[in-house]
Amino acid sequence: MDWLELPARALGWVDLQMSAMLGPAMRLTLWSVVGGALTMLLYGALSPQRRIAAAKRELAVARDRLDRFDGEMHEALPLMRRMLGSAFRQLGLVVVPALVALLPMILLASWLAQSYGHVFPQAQQPVAVRAEPAPLQAQWRPAQSRRDGQTEPPRVSLRDDAGRPLGEVEMQAPVPVLAKRTWRTAMIVGPLGFLPDGQPVDRVEIDLPRREFIAWGPQWMRGWEFLFFGVLTVVALGLKRALRLQ
């Protein structure tokens, strides 16, 4: 399953290199530009643009003929079938390339949700932690300062239903979900959010504080989602118009 983690590891490495020059908000904006550009360029390369343009012209002609038709309903049925056929033909030419072009954006958004979605809490801030299955327990342990001046990262302590310790998971990054390593979670959870093998705990959910990139507006605007999808949409629509994509 290691090869499934390669995209997340590669994105993390690139992000780490950029962090030496750019702050989090600028890096997120740059990832948005990359996501929008990659999506539209991939769609343009995969979609049959000439056939889509021809289908759009056919649909426009069929719609115009139906609009100008002045007769009985049963006489208009062939025109309606022709218009619907043109519409579905255009949809069939567009839908597969569009879905394939969205895959890199979905992968990027999944990685951003893990890397840019949350921050570690303050030292005395309480953190709710839930373990699955329900009888098992998990507890948040904040970062601790050592005598040598170094700081130990936060940890999640795992216990069984009787309170006996099962082990600890060191939090390498502020990820809100820890899960068992499977092929289903390899790309979504990412290499920083796995539980160690052999644990009876299947999943741990951590209520970490949300990371804010915008200091004003309602709460739903302040996270990574609004900035990412907003910039991505502007870039994608601008490229669509500049490249005259259908």
Side-chain angles (χ1 to χ4, degrees), residues 215-234:
W216 46 267
Q219 288 296 323
W220 60 266
M221 285 182 55
R222 301 187 180 191
W224 70 273
E225 300 93 340
F226 183 80
L227 180 59
F228 173 72
F229 288 107
V231 174
L232 183 145
T233 301
V234 171

Side-chain angles (χ1 to χ4, degrees), residues 147-214:
R147 292 182 178 179
D148 58 3
Q150 300 296 322
T151 301
E152 293 184 357
R155 299 172 183 270
V156 173
S157 177
L158 305 176
R159 298 178 180 272
D160 63 14
D161 53 355
R164 292 185 293 266
L166 297 173
E168 291 185 340
V169 180
E170 183 178 296
M171 298 293 295
Q172 303 178 46
V175 293
V177 176
L178 303 175
K180 288 286 185 66
R181 185 190 299 266
T182 66
W183 67 270
R184 294 181 180 179
T185 60
M187 289 189 298
I188 299 175
V189 174
L192 300 179
F194 288 128
L195 290 168
D197 296 333
Q199 285 285 351
V201 180
D202 294 329
R203 179 183 175 92
V204 175
E205 296 182 359
I206 311 168
D207 289 340
L208 295 174
R210 282 176 53 83
R211 194 174 192 174
E212 294 187 353
F213 293 90
I214 301 176

Side-chain angles (χ1 to χ4, degrees), residues 5-223:
E5 301 172 20
L6 287 178
R9 293 184 182 276
L11 291 171
W13 183 85
V14 174
D15 191 70
L16 180 62
Q17 307 310 307
M18 292 194 300
S19 65
M21 300 174 291
L22 302 174
M26 287 301 298
R27 298 201 306 274
L28 179 59
T29 303
L30 184 58
W31 283 123
S32 308
V33 173
V34 171
L38 182 60
T39 298
M40 293 312 300
L41 292 175
L42 190 57
Y43 169 76
L46 296 176
S47 57
Q49 288 293 301
R50 292 183 180 179
R51 294 172 61 191
I52 295 174
K56 290 183 69 173
R57 289 192 296 268
E58 291 178 8
L59 178 60
V61 171
R63 186 184 297 115
D64 181 66
R65 289 178 178 175
L66 184 61
D67 290 340
R68 291 187 289 104
F69 179 76
D70 185 16
E72 297 295 331
M73 181 64 181
H74 68 276
E75 297 175 346
L77 290 178
L79 296 176
M80 296 174 64
R81 285 196 295 267
R82 188 174 298 114
M83 185 185 70
L84 289 174
S86 299
F88 282 114
R89 189 179 306 111
Q90 180 183 343
L91 180 63
L93 293 172
V94 169
V95 65
V96 174
L99 290 176
V100 174
L102 284 175
L103 291 178
M105 187 271 291
I106 294 173
L107 178 63
L108 179 59
S110 298
W111 173 78
L112 287 172
Q114 295 290 319
S115 301
Y116 282 78
H118 299 82
V119 294
F120 284 131
Q122 300 296 325
Q124 303 302 323
Q125 184 177 353
V127 178
V129 185
R130 295 174 298 278
E132 297 179 5
L136 302 177
Q137 306 170 26
Q139 185 179 12
W140 178 262
R141 291 186 54 191
Q144 301 288 335
S145 297
R146 300 188 309 199
R147 292 182 178 179
D148 58 3
Q150 300 296 322
T151 301
E152 293 184 357
R155 299 172 183 270
V156 173
S157 177
L158 305 176
R159 298 178 180 272
D160 63 14
D161 53 355
R164 292 185 293 266
L166 297 173
E168 291 185 340
V169 180
E170 183 178 296
M171 298 293 295
Q172 303 178 46
V175 293
V177 176
L178 303 175
K180 288 286 185 66
R181 185 190 299 266
T182 66
W183 67 270
R184 294 181 180 179
T185 60
M187 289 189 298
I188 299 175
V189 174
L192 300 179
F194 288 128
L195 290 168
D197 296 333
Q199 285 285 351
V201 180
D202 294 329
R203 179 183 175 92
V204 175
E205 296 182 359
I206 311 168
D207 289 340
L208 295 174
R210 282 176 53 83
R211 194 174 192 174
E212 294 187 353
F213 293 90
I214 301 176
W216 46 267
Q219 288 296 323
W220 60 266
M221 285 182 55
R222 301 187 180 191

